[in-house]
Amino acid sequence: MRKTGLLVLIAFVFGMGCSQVSLSEELTANGIGDIEKAYRYFFMLDKSDEGLLRYMYSDAAAHIHVYVVKEGRSELDWETATLGSAVTALFVDDVNVDGKKEIVVATARGRIIVYDGQNYDRLSENFNEPFLTISCMTSANIDGDPQQELIFVADSRLNIYDSKSRGREWRSQQTYQATEILLGNVDDDPQPEIILNTGAIIDSKFYTLEASSLMDGVFGMRLHLLDMNGDGHPEIIGELPGYVLKVYDIYAQREIW
């Protein structure tokens, strides 16, 4: 009798444990937001015109997919035809400053495409001059006009283009092999700096290369900015091979951890 009771208890506990392990988070805004933080090319979009949750991601086959969530289930809302090569940048921003968000894509073979964030119409593609390859891209307003600039590394050179006129504002003479780009105000001047994961920091107004004393010359991957030491200036946090973190103090020009 005791043995039977013990077996029942073990089965009950084991069953509870299995039930807990198999539980998955529901498809909610919070759950989608957690995934967005974890993955580089996964984004939660504004709700659809019908008020449905939406999310977007790119895959290994060079497609972009947008899903809506209906009654806790994902339904495909839109997807691109093949982009021809791997996605090297994907983000959502109001680059035209028209009150509407756009989906901005760059590819390894030099395409830059802007889609309407609600109806997915293709608004524009490429600039007047072609690029052989694009390795990373972001957007920010770094001058006096209202619209954003697209800032990207193409054909190993850093480029800045006006997102509305699509005219080139600047191109570097120096070559860069960066795969990640980040903007942030990390020193005492008012303008932000362009930070490349290969270790370069470029002033976005004067285009000068900031001094650096990196021991191995790179910041790493999955870059983030955060004031770790409370000096009022953010540090660069990057991930190195083996999941080792590097924390670099730009203001003091030294690695602090």
Side-chain angles (χ1 to χ4, degrees):
M1 183 71 179
R2 289 181 179 177
K3 185 176 181 180
T4 302
L6 180 60
L7 290 174
V8 171
L9 179 61
I10 291 173
F12 175 76
V13 172
F14 182 74
M16 287 292 291
C18 289
S19 175
Q20 290 175 357
V21 169
S22 64
L23 288 176
S24 60
E25 189 171 356
E26 294 182 3
L27 199 56
T28 63
N30 288 337
I32 295 172
D34 289 340
I35 298 175
E36 181 182 44
K37 295 175 184 176
Y39 298 103
R40 183 174 177 181
Y41 295 147
F42 185 102
F43 296 91
M44 182 164 60
L45 303 175
D46 290 340
K47 289 184 178 181
S48 69
D49 293 337
E50 294 79 21
L52 299 174
L53 290 174
R54 295 188 304 155
Y55 63 87
M56 171 183 69
Y57 69 91
S58 65
D59 64 17
H63 292 82
I64 297 172
H65 309 268
V66 175
Y67 283 84
V68 295
V69 179
K70 295 182 179 180
E71 299 179 353
R73 299 184 62 180
S74 297
E75 293 188 9
L76 183 65
D77 196 39
W78 173 75
E79 64 181 350
T80 63
T82 179
L83 296 169
S85 61
V87 171
T88 54
L90 177 63
F91 55 87
V92 181
D93 200 354
D94 182 7
V95 294
N96 295 326
V97 196
D98 56 3
K100 301 176 182 179
K101 290 184 178 179
E102 289 80 40
I103 297 169
V104 185
V105 188
T107 73
R109 291 186 182 175
R111 297 178 73 185
I112 296 177
I113 312 170
V114 180
Y115 299 96
D116 187 287
Q118 284 295 127
N119 60 27
Y120 316 119
D121 287 343
R122 187 167 63 180
L123 303 178
S124 60
E125 180 172 353
N126 294 341
F127 298 107
N128 292 330
E129 47 196 320
F131 303 107
L132 296 177
T133 183
I134 297 172
S135 59
C136 55
M137 181 172 67
T138 190
S139 65
N141 192 341
I142 58 174
D143 58 17
D145 57 30
Q147 65 270 13
Q148 304 275 67
E149 279 68 49
L150 292 179
I151 306 161
F152 55 95
V153 176
D155 302 337
S156 300
R157 297 191 186 277
L158 182 61
N159 295 266
I160 301 176
Y161 277 74
D162 185 284
S163 65
K164 188 173 183 178
S165 69
R166 306 186 66 74
R168 188 176 77 192
E169 297 185 357
W170 179 74
R171 173 175 293 164
S172 70
Q173 294 298 314
Q174 186 169 343
T175 58
Y176 301 98
Q177 303 302 320
T179 56
E180 289 188 32
I181 187 169
L182 191 66
L183 266 81
N185 195 344
V186 295
D187 56 21
D188 287 332
D189 57 37
Q191 66 269 12
E193 281 67 47
I194 302 167
I195 302 163
L196 304 180
N197 68 319
T198 46
I201 304 170
I202 301 100
D203 186 285
S204 66
K205 183 177 181 180
F206 300 105
Y207 310 128
T208 53
L209 190 64
E210 304 281 347
S212 174
S213 59
L214 282 169
M215 295 176 62
D216 56 6
V218 298
F219 293 127
M221 306 294 291
R222 297 166 62 89
L223 299 186
H224 290 276
L225 293 176
L226 186 65
D227 186 358
M228 302 290 289
N229 56 13
D231 65 354
H233 300 279
E235 281 70 54
I236 299 175
I237 304 171
E239 186 177 84
L240 300 177
Y243 306 104
V244 177
L245 293 184
K246 172 185 286 188
V247 181
Y248 183 78
D249 188 327
I250 304 175
Y251 192 70
Q253 298 181 23
R254 64 186 179 90
E255 295 178 29
I256 58 176
W257 290 318

